[in-house]
Amino acid sequence: RTRIKNERYESGVIPYAKMGYWDPDYVIKDTDVLALFRVSPQPGVDPVEASAAVAGESSTATWTVVWTDLLTACDLYRAKAYKVDAVPNTSDQYFAYISYDIDLFEEGSIANLTASIIGNVFGFKAVKALRLEDMRIPVAYLKTFQGPATGLIVERERMDKFGRPFLGATVKPKLGLSGKNYGRVVYEGLKGGLDFLKDDENINSQPFMRWKERFLYSMEAVNRSIAATGEVKGHYMNVTAATMENMYERAEFAKQLGTVIIMIDLVIGYTAIQTMAIWARQNDMILHLHRAGNSTYSRQKIHGMNFRVICKWMRMAGVDHIHAGTVVGKLEGDPLMIRGFYNTLLLPLRLDINLPPKGFFLSPNPT
C-alpha cells in the first residue's frame, strides 16, 4: 500500500524520468548490460526525458503507469538511463548511457537481446532519430553464448597458412554464370594464387545455376587447384536459402563434398545465424557471414545502429568471420572507423575507451 501511494504510482501519464528510468546516481554492476544510444529528441523534449523514455520502452515501461508493476521486482527490472552527454559539435544530439539488469534477457539468445534493445524504441515519438552506438556485454551473459564455431587459429591450421593474411576474392559476375563457367573462375583464381574464392551474397539457387550444380563444380575446382599447386585451397559455399531445412540440406551436401567452409548472409536473421553456427561447430565447419543488408541501418549517422554492435552480436552468435569493410573500394569506409571494427572483432575481452577516433564508448568491454 505504501508503494501505491507514492508519486511513482499516480494515475495518468507520468514522465519516464519520474517513473524511475532516469537515475544519475545508479551504480553499475559488473553483470549489467550497458548500451549507448545517440538520442535526437523531438523539439521541446528534454534530453534526459528522451533518454529515460528509451530506457523505459526498451525494458519494462509503457506509455502510462500500470498497477501490475507491483507484482514484479520492478525497481530491479527497470532499465536506468544514468548519464546523458551532449554530442560534441552538435546542438540537438545526446549520448544516453543506459544500464539493463542481466535478468531482462534470455540466456544465449541474440533474438531476445535485440527484441529489447532495438525492438520498439526506434519508432518512439519522443525522439526524431535514435542510433545504437555501442554495447558492453558482461562476461556473465557472454558465457551463455557458443561463440565462434571454429575460430581463426583452427582455420589457419586447417588451411596450413601462417604468418600472413589469407588472400581471397569473390567470383564476378556474381550472377549469370553457368555452373561449369563458375567452377572455371574458381579454378583459375585458386590456381593463380588465391587461398579462397567465395560466393557472393545473392548467389543462392537461381534458374541459370542451381545450388547443387555450383557446389559440385566449385569443389571440383578446389580439388583440381590443390592438385596443381600442392596447397590447401577453399571456396565459401553460400548455403543461404528460404528455410532452415533448405540451409541444412545445402550445408550437409557441402560437407559431403569435402569443403572446409560455408557461408551465410546476415539477412537470414539472428536465430537462423545462431542455428547455423551450432550446426557448423557440430560438423567441424568454418562459418563465414556476409553482412548483406547492414547498411540499411548502419550507414546513417544519427539513426539506426553502428556496425560495431553487429560485430559484437555476431561474435556472440557464433560465426568465425564477417565482412568488416575496407578503406579502399566501392563501399564507404573511414580508416579509423574500419580499424575500430577490426579491433572489435579481433581483440580479446577488454577494449579501452577510444573516442574519437575509433569509436569505443564503453569499457570494460568483454566482447
Side-chain angles (χ1 to χ4, degrees):
R1 291 181 61 84
T2 301
R3 292 174 69 189
I4 294 175
K5 290 179 181 179
N6 68 32
E7 292 182 354
R8 168 65 174 78
Y9 295 96
E10 291 175 354
S11 61
V13 179
I14 298 176
Y16 286 89
K18 189 175 180 180
M19 283 196 284
Y21 297 100
W22 166 247
D23 186 356
D25 299 320
Y26 180 71
V27 178
I28 299 167
K29 302 190 295 290
D30 288 340
T31 56
D32 285 346
V33 174
L34 303 183
L36 182 130
F37 290 91
R38 181 189 296 254
V39 180
S40 301
Q42 292 284 7
V45 176
D46 180 74
V48 168
E49 174 60 16
S51 301
V54 172
E57 290 296 325
S58 58
S59 59
T60 64
T62 185
W63 61 274
T64 187
V65 171
V66 291
W67 68 266
T68 45
D69 269 353
L70 297 167
L71 304 178
T72 74
C74 57
D75 294 334
L76 174 66
Y77 293 145
R78 279 189 215 110
K80 283 89 173 175
Y82 61 89
K83 182 181 179 183
V84 176
D85 292 334
V87 176
N89 302 316
T90 69
S91 59
D92 61 348
Q93 299 174 33
Y94 301 86
F95 288 136
Y97 294 77
I98 299 175
S99 179
Y100 302 83
D101 187 84
I102 191 174
D103 285 345
L104 291 171
F105 308 108
E106 179 181 350
E107 300 90 337
S109 173
I110 298 291
N112 179 255
L113 176 68
T114 56
S116 286
I117 302 297
I118 61 171
N120 218 24
V121 294
F122 285 78
F124 201 50
K125 288 181 178 180
V127 297
K128 63 182 178 182
L130 185 67
R131 190 172 198 247
L132 178 59
E133 292 284 3
D134 202 359
M135 290 188 68
R136 185 199 78 172
I137 311 297
V139 172
Y141 190 56
L142 191 66
K143 287 297 186 181
T144 67
F145 290 85
Q146 170 185 276
T150 304
L152 297 180
I153 301 300
V154 174
E155 181 173 357
R156 286 195 173 278
E157 291 173 345
R158 195 164 297 169
M159 295 297 297
D160 195 28
K161 299 292 188 298
F162 303 94
R164 66 168 178 84
F166 286 117
L167 184 61
T170 305
V171 174
K172 300 292 182 180
K174 56 185 175 182
L175 298 176
L177 291 170
S178 67
K180 187 172 184 178
N181 284 328
Y182 196 93
R184 179 181 176 183
V185 175
V186 174
Y187 172 74
E188 294 292 347
L190 295 177
K191 184 174 180 289
L194 296 176
D195 300 313
F196 278 116
L197 262 93
K198 64 178 287 296
D199 295 341
D200 220 338
E201 77 279 6
N202 57 348
I203 184 69
N204 296 149
S205 188
Q206 286 94 327
F208 53 82
M209 180 175 56
R210 296 301 180 186
W211 68 269
K212 189 170 288 187
E213 181 186 15
R214 184 175 80 257
F215 284 18
L216 286 167
Y217 279 113
S218 295
M219 278 309 299
E220 180 185 2
V222 169
N223 292 331
R224 285 178 178 270
S225 67
I226 291 173
T229 64
E231 297 181 15
V232 181
K233 303 286 186 177
H235 180 76
Y236 297 19
M237 305 287 192
N238 191 355
V239 302
T240 297
T243 68
M244 286 305 306
E245 288 74 17
N246 288 341
M247 286 198 285
Y248 280 141
E249 179 188 8
R250 297 178 190 189
E252 288 287 351
F253 187 70
K255 176 187 174 183
Q256 292 172 11
L257 292 178
T259 187
V260 298
I261 188 167
I262 60 171
M263 67 171 277
I264 52 178
D265 292 340
L266 180 62
V267 292
I268 68 175
Y270 302 133
T271 297
I273 291 169
Q274 284 194 261
T275 303
M276 289 307 300
I278 292 171
W279 180 93
R281 175 168 288 192
Q282 291 173 343
N283 289 272
D284 200 28
M285 187 73 67
I286 302 167
L287 182 63
H288 173 76
L289 178 72
H290 191 293
R291 60 177 182 171
N294 85 93
S295 292
T296 56
Y297 44 80
S298 67
R299 189 172 185 182
Q300 298 302 314
K301 303 309 179 188
I302 66 170
H303 189 79
M305 180 165 44
N306 196 305
F307 185 68
R308 178 189 307 108
V309 180
I310 292 292
C311 292
K312 294 182 179 183
W313 289 350
M314 292 304 100
R315 284 187 75 171
M316 295 159 64
V319 301
D320 289 306
H321 35 72
I322 181 175
H323 284 109
T326 61
V327 179
V328 297
K330 62 185 179 181
L331 300 179
E332 180 187 42
D334 172 78
L336 292 172
M337 177 181 71
I338 300 301
R339 174 62 64 85
F341 296 157
Y342 287 1
N343 289 343
T344 300
L345 289 165
L346 292 172
L347 295 183
L349 295 188
R350 296 180 182 271
L351 295 171
D352 294 328
I353 295 174
N354 190 342
L355 176 69
K358 297 174 188 174
F360 299 120
F361 294 84
L362 299 169
S363 182
N365 190 343
T367 59

